[in-house]
Amino acid sequence: MEGVSAVPVPQPRARAASASDSAGSRRSLAAGLLLGAAGATVVLLASGRTWAEGKASVGGGTLPLSADGQDVTGLPAALAVVGLAALVAVFAVRGGGRLIVAGLLALSGLGVGLSAWTGASDSAALDEKAAQTTGNASATVEALSHTAWPYVTAVGGLLILLAGLLALRYGSRWPTMSGRYERDGTPRPRKAAPAAVDPDRPEDLWKALDRGEDPTREA
């Protein structure tokens, strides 16, 4: 008696892999949005705080001076706005354009971090204030100290950078904004035309009025 060869039963691996990819895409999308929005918020808030403090000699005494992040450098706040715009634009483009925008998002975060880190030891803003206060162009600030806000700003830039890296890695799987098409490109079904109004049926007349139509108008 000849042996009967068993036919292997296909396993639903493709469906499981597709579901796993979809879940991973949703997680990366949520993480990218959260990191980008949180990073930009941190940068905008921290750049308005006091970054440096010092004293200027005036007459026989000293005058306390302080400089916030905008006085030291306006670059972090400007780049945070650019990062927010890029984060939104990621969903408005596709293909190569999405990679370019994602790269801009990552570069914005990197620029924020570098400029904030550099500004953490900057004294030019306070020296300028000292010169204006004393009326002496060569005056410099004394007892210079810095707060932790520049480093908080740098952390915000790091969050934006991570959002950009996620967009570069997984952005091709993220959905694209569209007013007429769904994610798979299928046109959305149009609403069915309202049924004809029968003038002899009062309920049809009332329904037409509810829809804002003129039941007396001929089709």
Side-chain angles (χ1 to χ4, degrees), residues 91-168:
F91 303 97
V93 295
R94 64 181 66 188
R98 175 166 289 186
L99 289 177
I100 294 175
V101 175
L104 178 61
L105 177 61
L107 289 176
S108 298
L110 180 60
V112 168
L114 292 177
S115 58
W117 188 270
T118 303
S121 58
D122 182 84
S123 63
L126 281 182
D127 287 341
E128 182 179 354
K129 284 192 174 185
Q132 293 174 353
T133 302
T134 62
N136 182 5
S138 61
T140 57
V141 69
E142 302 174 359
L144 178 65
S145 62
H146 293 84
T147 66
W149 289 110
Y151 303 105
V152 175
T153 306
V155 171
L158 177 61
L159 296 180
I160 299 175
L161 173 60
L162 292 176
L165 294 178
L166 281 175
L168 286 171

Side-chain angles (χ1 to χ4, degrees), residues 9-186:
V9 178
Q11 300 296 325
R13 294 182 179 178
R15 182 179 300 178
S18 177
S20 178
D21 291 343
S22 178
S25 175
R26 288 194 298 268
R27 286 193 296 268
S28 63
L29 171 60
L33 287 174
L34 179 61
L35 290 172
T41 302
V42 169
V43 172
L44 292 175
L45 290 177
S47 61
R49 301 290 184 173
T50 300
W51 281 25
E53 296 174 329
K55 296 179 181 180
S57 299
V58 180
T62 58
L63 178 67
L65 299 174
S66 63
D68 60 24
Q70 296 288 350
D71 295 329
V72 175
T73 172
L75 194 57
L79 289 176
V81 174
V82 173
L84 278 177
L87 185 63
V88 175
V90 164
F91 303 97
V93 295
R94 64 181 66 188
R98 175 166 289 186
L99 289 177
I100 294 175
V101 175
L104 178 61
L105 177 61
L107 289 176
S108 298
L110 180 60
V112 168
L114 292 177
S115 58
W117 188 270
T118 303
S121 58
D122 182 84
S123 63
L126 281 182
D127 287 341
E128 182 179 354
K129 284 192 174 185
Q132 293 174 353
T133 302
T134 62
N136 182 5
S138 61
T140 57
V141 69
E142 302 174 359
L144 178 65
S145 62
H146 293 84
T147 66
W149 289 110
Y151 303 105
V152 175
T153 306
V155 171
L158 177 61
L159 296 180
I160 299 175
L161 173 60
L162 292 176
L165 294 178
L166 281 175
L168 286 171
R169 175 64 179 83
Y170 301 102
S172 60
R173 306 177 186 177
W174 294 354
T176 304
M177 290 187 300
S178 175
R180 183 178 176 185
Y181 294 91
E182 302 288 352
R183 293 182 181 179
D184 58 357
T186 305

